[in-house]
Amino acid sequence: MDLSAISHFAVASGIDGFMNSAWGWPVVEALHFIALAVLLGTVGLFDLRMLGFAKHLPAAALHRLVPWGVGAFVANIATGAMFFVSAPDQYAYNPAFQSKVLCILLAGLNAAVFYSGPVRQVKSLPAKADAPTAAKIIGCVSLLSWLAVIVLGRLITMFRPPYHWCWWC
Amino acid sequence: MSAILWIQDSSLATWIRESSWALFACLIVHTIGMGALAGAAVVANLRALGVAPALPRTLWPTLLPLMKAALLAAIASGLLLLAAYPAKALLNPVFYAKLLIIGAALGFTKKATTVQPTNAGRVDGRNLVRQRFVALAAVALWCAAVLAGKLLEYTHRVLLLY
């Protein structure tokens, strides 16, 4: 895979210069983690409600937090892209990064399943009502996917190429 | 310095540094703990700021068990990380700033998300503005706490004492 075009873009756009300045990498890392925490706090809390936590809260009211989670996810993609273009070889060939992307795709697919059906039942759930089994399974998959994303994100710095190499390279 | 050396040379600290998985496990638990704690706290403050109005304005009691578990996980893993590399944290002022900011963030979050901004049973405008100001400060403090945590990796001058 030729990653030089990505590196050239990072240099030409100034992203590379900013990321390699004294504050660039830590500030973007902090923004990435804050967005991840908001995602976990909003979507994760909704998932926990599906699984029976805070049952006195109506699910529809908690669902109003989900757009904040979506916004946080967009911020994660933007900050994550800044990492990627600044050191593409450290991500593209990194097994932890590849696994993280797979988990994000799984979370996205899981969300698509939720919005294709169970969402209507869940939004009409009154306080103290149990979520339907399908919603519980979806909530569990969502929570585990996002936790795996955090774990794998942490592992990216520990399984760097060339000491560790991607699954299919 | 001798206390730092004593911690650093303890069998637990040596094991964490030399194990193939212990340091990773501590970092992962610390990351999830801090993420869940900050995430839950930010959500409670967002509610105090007017987001998701169908939820109770005082989310602290609801989220407290979750935040307690997340804080315990973060403290336990944080102590193990501190034991592994005590000089890295204890000789860095950013570490103390991080602890102070987290304490302040927890205090502000509790203040903003525990008491209804009411007066004689009705929402009071001045109390509401005050509550929102505290909630906004709490969100800023959580952002600062995360930044301080990230800066620890970049600002330490000593990793191990010799």
Side-chain angles (χ1 to χ4, degrees):
Chain A
M1 196 192 301
D2 183 18
L3 301 169
S4 57
I6 297 173
S7 296
H8 288 146
F9 164 76
V11 172
S13 63
I15 293 174
D16 187 73
F18 170 72
M19 290 299 282
N20 289 302
S21 66
W23 286 86
W25 210 276
V27 165
V28 179
E29 272 190 345
L31 290 173
H32 194 69
F33 190 77
I34 290 162
L36 202 60
V38 173
L39 180 64
L40 200 60
T42 52
V43 175
L45 190 58
F46 185 68
D47 293 337
L48 284 174
R49 170 65 181 86
M50 297 302 99
L51 294 169
F53 176 78
K55 272 167 71 173
H56 62 284
L57 300 177
L62 274 174
H63 190 262
R64 294 285 293 273
L65 293 169
V66 171
W68 285 79
V70 175
F73 178 69
V74 171
N76 271 318
I77 295 290
T79 47
M82 290 178 80
F83 299 137
F84 187 94
V85 300
S86 302
D89 58 325
Q90 290 295 306
Y91 290 90
Y93 303 124
N94 188 318
F97 175 74
Q98 293 166 347
S99 308
K100 180 178 175 175
V101 171
L102 286 177
C103 285
I104 293 171
L105 291 175
L106 174 64
L109 187 67
N110 188 56
V113 171
F114 177 68
Y115 284 104
S116 69
V119 65
R120 268 170 258 120
Q121 271 177 289
V122 168
K123 280 174 114 176
S124 61
L125 276 180
K128 296 187 178 166
D130 263 327
T133 306
K136 283 182 181 169
I137 294 169
I138 289 169
C140 187
V141 171
S142 172
L143 204 54
L144 290 176
S145 305
W146 290 118
L147 287 176
V149 166
I150 295 176
V151 171
L152 291 163
R154 191 71 249 193
L155 291 178
I156 284 173
T157 53
M158 299 168 187
F159 290 91
R160 288 175 185 276
Y163 307 106
H164 298 273
W165 211 242
C166 80
W167 296 343
W168 54 81
C169 300
Chain B
M1 287 295 178
S2 59
I4 292 177
L5 264 175
W6 181 80
I7 298 169
Q8 179 187 297
D9 293 339
S10 67
S11 52
L12 175 69
T14 308
W15 174 72
I16 295 170
R17 282 196 304 274
E18 292 179 356
S19 158
S20 59
W21 59 270
L23 194 72
F24 297 169
C26 292
L27 279 170
I28 286 166
V29 172
H30 197 66
T31 305
I32 291 176
M34 283 304 294
L37 177 66
V42 168
V43 161
N45 285 302
L46 282 177
R47 173 61 198 98
L49 286 165
V51 174
L55 288 173
R57 208 186 291 272
T58 50
L59 275 179
W60 178 270
T62 302
L63 296 180
L64 192 56
L66 185 65
M67 288 170 67
K68 268 186 184 170
L71 183 63
L72 277 176
I75 288 174
S77 53
L79 284 174
L80 291 173
L81 291 169
L82 181 65
Y85 292 99
K88 182 184 170 189
L90 295 174
L91 299 180
N92 187 346
V94 176
F95 174 70
Y96 301 100
K98 177 187 168 180
L99 296 185
L100 282 175
I101 295 168
I102 290 174
L106 278 170
F108 275 57
T109 301
K110 186 178 181 191
K111 190 165 175 58
T113 63
T114 307
V115 181
Q116 294 280 3
T118 50
N119 191 2
R122 303 176 75 178
V123 173
D124 177 80
R126 284 179 68 180
N127 284 345
L128 186 64
V129 169
R130 196 176 298 134
Q131 185 188 46
R132 289 187 172 179
F133 180 76
V134 175
L136 201 59
V139 172
L141 282 166
W142 283 112
C143 293
V146 171
L147 180 62
K150 292 292 171 191
L151 282 175
L152 277 178
E153 280 302 309
Y154 296 87
T155 54
H156 66 270
R157 281 176 290 180
V158 184
L159 191 62
L160 290 169
L161 284 182
Y162 295 102

